[in-house]
Amino acid sequence: MKKLIYMASILALTFTSCDPMEDVYDEVDKANAEELADKKFYSDKTLIEDGYRLVDADFELSTNEDVKNYKNFSISLTAAEFLPEILTNKMLYGETGVEYKVWFDYYRGKSEELSNYRNEHEVSTGEYTAIGGVIADLGYFTSDIKSGDKADEILKAAYSDAVKGDVQKLISKGAASKSYKFEDVSIEASEKFEMSKDDFGVILASVEADDTKKHLVDGTLEYYYGANSKYGNFEARTSKWMAKDEYKDMDEADLEDLIYNRQIEAVIIALKAKFPEAQINDASGKKIIYIVEYSVYDGSTKDNMVRFECTSAGPNPEFAKVGSMYVNTMHQFYMYNGSVWNQIDNDLEVLDDKENNLALAYTLEYNDYKLMGDGDGQPGEYGNFSSSADPNHYLPTFMNNKWAYAQDDEVKLIIYKYYNSGVTELRVDEYTFNKETKWMLTATTVDGSAMVAFKDKIWIYVPPIKLIKTEKDATETYELTAADYELVGNGRYGNFDTRSGEDEEDEAVIVEKLTKILKANYSLKVGDVFEVTYKYYDGAAKTGTMKLEAVADN
């Protein structure tokens, strides 16, 4: 019986005792699994060798729509935030402990001086009203009361906190007329009428109701008067009119005259609907002038103003045109000199106030445009630039002739006229001189770069930080490991060789290697102070310490 119990005990031990190699096997399995996982991870990725430059297609890998669209980084779309994910999505990797430089387009924007010229103030209805008189009635400046006469008053009221050197582009409307004197308003009264979509609907309805004209109706547009109730304007493109049988054989100049005369007829239809009891004079006996404003589309939208008088009083009044006004949108730059807003021109003394660092701006004059060519499509033809006369095509040559002896990095702001969709705008650009390239448009997008590192299989942004020796109290202590020496090429002996003629004889080399090690082990921030312990050999094996402070690397 005892023998059976003894044998059973032996069998139990045989089946329950541990294999002494089991832990070793587990470690091997784990190492093999990690190796396989690494091979799989890196199998579809490309190693960065000596830095990298982002191209447009790379920016499209960002999850940020603005980075995708603008294809650059900026002060608000930083490389620190968006560069790592682009490198990850690009399927790139780097060696552990190595910092890589990545170049990219960086939008730095416009200079402070140029930005000062980007301020705009459009005169409001309330500001026209505050001026009073005929300007309040019209809602425009006239040939007798110009925007320049009221600019200082308007800008002072709008910008009470202005400081010397501030610039505003004043945008206003002005009406000019050869057939009407605004001073005659003293013996006349005015009734202003701004045509709306509903008024154009009245004209359209009159055509639809006329059996001889209704075939010219095309949805919300008709081609007898050209009224378009959808957009609230008159269609004046001759190409559109000539598509109709009635006008296809007409001379273009004759058709233009017909279109204008039909507009006047149409406005009278709208006037009769608006003022069914119109009178010739007001209660004081002054003649009433009906000022009608309407829009015309001839490829761009233009505002027209026409004056009418009532020739036969209601209930079925008659009207006749008495003159046209041409309403222009006007642009002009003004600079505040500390007490007055002055219109900027080439004689304005404040522009030469270098003591106050005010931007030097040059306004192109009539003869300047002529010098750039006055042939068909050239700036001198109409005294402005346009989509067919690109300012950047002409201005560098003009400036190279005018300011041939400028100095490197000299900057000039150029104010010029630009025709855009029926409006002559004032624009301003900045040019910079370089002896090699001469005058060129100042770039708003420049080369930028950042440092990155591949750590724990992810890309991280490396702040522009360097480590310098310091005597400050340490915020962190660190002792170098065998892996650290391996990282910087000192793995064979596990120390730094400071003997004469050896690699680490110069202490700056040790600082450089410690910097690489600390950046590989920590996410540094400005103000960190490390007390680092390391081994060195100067003929005998020794241990040393060094304090290093993280500072901004500008």
Side-chain angles (χ1 to χ4, degrees), residues 46-52 93-95 98-100:
T46 304
L47 174 67
I48 287 183
E49 297 289 350
D50 299 310
Y52 185 75
Y93 75 94
E95 294 180 355
V98 178
E99 291 184 0
Y100 296 91

Side-chain angles (χ1 to χ4, degrees), residues 159-167 335-338 341 358:
Y159 304 99
S160 58
D161 58 349
V163 297
K164 187 174 183 179
D166 281 356
V167 174
M335 179 179 278
Y336 189 61
N337 70 1
W341 286 91
L358 301 183

Side-chain angles (χ1 to χ4, degrees), residues 206-271:
S206 73
V207 175
E208 290 174 329
D210 190 325
D211 290 339
T212 64
K213 301 173 184 174
K214 64 183 182 182
H215 65 285
L216 294 171
V217 174
D218 185 2
T220 59
L221 171 63
E222 53 80 19
Y223 282 96
Y224 187 82
Y225 301 113
N228 190 327
S229 63
K230 180 179 180 179
Y231 296 111
N233 61 25
F234 286 110
E235 171 61 70
R237 289 175 290 182
T238 53
S239 60
K240 294 291 186 180
W241 284 67
M242 285 180 171
K244 301 295 181 182
D245 290 340
E246 281 83 348
Y247 315 112
K248 66 181 181 181
D249 296 324
M250 287 188 68
D251 177 79
E252 188 169 8
D254 291 339
L255 180 55
E256 287 175 352
D257 288 342
L258 179 141
I259 290 171
Y260 176 74
N261 291 331
R262 292 273 180 88
Q263 287 172 11
I264 299 303
E265 293 175 29
V267 170
I268 291 175
I269 293 172
L271 269 172

Side-chain angles (χ1 to χ4, degrees), residues 249-305:
D249 296 324
M250 287 188 68
D251 177 79
E252 188 169 8
D254 291 339
L255 180 55
E256 287 175 352
D257 288 342
L258 179 141
I259 290 171
Y260 176 74
N261 291 331
R262 292 273 180 88
Q263 287 172 11
I264 299 303
E265 293 175 29
V267 170
I268 291 175
I269 293 172
L271 269 172
K272 288 182 176 182
K274 181 72 174 180
F275 303 102
E277 300 290 336
Q279 300 297 310
I280 297 174
N281 300 315
D282 70 1
S284 65
K286 286 184 178 181
K287 185 178 182 180
I288 301 174
I289 296 297
Y290 296 85
I291 302 170
V292 183
E293 179 181 356
Y294 59 88
S295 294
V296 174
Y297 185 77
D298 62 359
S300 62
T301 301
K302 297 179 175 64
D303 292 329
N304 279 359
M305 293 184 73

Side-chain angles (χ1 to χ4, degrees), residues 112 379 462:
E112 184 178 350
V462 178

Side-chain angles (χ1 to χ4, degrees), residues 86-100:
I86 289 176
L87 297 176
T88 298
N89 293 337
K90 180 71 175 176
M91 308 297 281
L92 300 173
Y93 75 94
E95 294 180 355
T96 301
V98 178
E99 291 184 0
Y100 296 91

Side-chain angles (χ1 to χ4, degrees), residues 475-526:
T475 59
E476 188 81 35
T477 60
Y478 185 74
E479 184 172 352
L480 266 57
T481 66
D484 294 328
Y485 291 109
E486 188 72 38
L487 175 64
V488 292
N490 294 71
R492 182 176 181 182
Y493 296 109
N495 63 22
F496 297 132
D497 193 339
T498 61
R499 291 176 297 172
S500 177
E502 299 299 335
D503 289 345
E504 289 85 30
E505 175 189 7
D506 185 350
E507 187 179 66
V509 176
I510 296 178
V511 172
E512 181 182 342
K513 290 189 174 184
L514 292 179
T515 297
K516 183 173 183 178
I517 291 168
L518 290 174
K519 283 188 174 182
N521 286 282
Y522 293 91
S523 296
L524 303 184
K525 61 182 183 298
V526 172

Side-chain angles (χ1 to χ4, degrees), residues 229-477:
S229 63
K230 180 179 180 179
Y231 296 111
N233 61 25
F234 286 110
E235 171 61 70
R237 289 175 290 182
T238 53
S239 60
K240 294 291 186 180
W241 284 67
M242 285 180 171
K244 301 295 181 182
D245 290 340
E246 281 83 348
Y247 315 112
K248 66 181 181 181
D249 296 324
M250 287 188 68
D251 177 79
E252 188 169 8
D254 291 339
L255 180 55
E256 287 175 352
D257 288 342
L258 179 141
I259 290 171
Y260 176 74
N261 291 331
R262 292 273 180 88
Q263 287 172 11
I264 299 303
E265 293 175 29
V267 170
I268 291 175
I269 293 172
L271 269 172
K272 288 182 176 182
K274 181 72 174 180
F275 303 102
E277 300 290 336
Q279 300 297 310
I280 297 174
N281 300 315
D282 70 1
S284 65
K286 286 184 178 181
K287 185 178 182 180
I288 301 174
I289 296 297
Y290 296 85
I291 302 170
V292 183
E293 179 181 356
Y294 59 88
S295 294
V296 174
Y297 185 77
D298 62 359
S300 62
T301 301
K302 297 179 175 64
D303 292 329
N304 279 359
M305 293 184 73
V306 182
R307 285 169 299 284
F308 293 82
E309 60 183 347
C310 179
T311 56
S312 176
N316 186 26
E318 296 295 333
F319 294 88
K321 182 172 78 76
V322 294
S324 298
M325 286 190 286
Y326 300 93
V327 182
N328 299 315
T329 299
M330 299 175 293
H331 295 215
Q332 190 53 260
F333 285 105
Y334 288 84
M335 179 179 278
Y336 189 61
N337 70 1
S339 58
V340 177
W341 286 91
N342 291 302
Q343 182 176 323
I344 292 177
D345 58 37
N346 296 329
D347 298 320
L348 187 60
E349 291 183 3
V350 74
L351 291 178
D352 295 322
D353 188 353
K354 294 180 181 178
E355 180 182 348
N356 287 280
N357 197 31
L358 301 183
L360 295 172
Y362 179 81
T363 303
L364 290 185
E365 299 175 344
Y366 176 77
N367 286 333
D368 294 331
Y369 293 103
K370 288 290 185 183
L371 287 172
M372 288 180 268
D374 56 5
D376 185 30
Q378 293 182 309
E381 182 182 11
Y382 297 110
N384 58 249
F385 295 111
S386 65
S387 58
S388 58
D390 182 4
N392 196 39
H393 176 71
Y394 292 93
L395 283 175
T397 302
F398 167 78
M399 296 177 72
N400 288 336
N401 291 328
K402 189 172 183 67
W403 296 289
Y405 303 104
Q407 300 301 305
D408 274 346
D409 299 323
E410 187 172 332
V411 172
K412 281 194 180 293
L413 299 176
I414 304 296
I415 299 172
Y416 58 86
K417 294 178 181 178
Y418 188 93
Y419 181 79
N420 180 35
S421 300
V423 176
T424 301
E425 305 170 346
L426 270 189
R427 295 185 177 183
V428 59
D429 281 331
E430 181 181 272
Y431 285 80
T432 302
F433 185 82
N434 178 281
K435 288 178 182 176
E436 297 296 325
T437 59
K438 305 301 181 183
W439 287 103
M440 292 187 66
L441 191 67
T442 303
T444 54
T445 301
V446 296
D447 266 352
S449 65
M451 302 301 293
V452 293
F454 196 67
K455 185 177 180 181
D456 298 328
K457 295 183 179 178
I458 61 170
W459 285 104
I460 60 170
Y461 172 79
V462 178
I465 286 176
K466 62 183 178 181
L467 292 170
I468 61 172
K469 284 190 69 177
T470 184
E471 294 302 321
K472 294 181 179 179
D473 291 337
T475 59
E476 188 81 35
T477 60

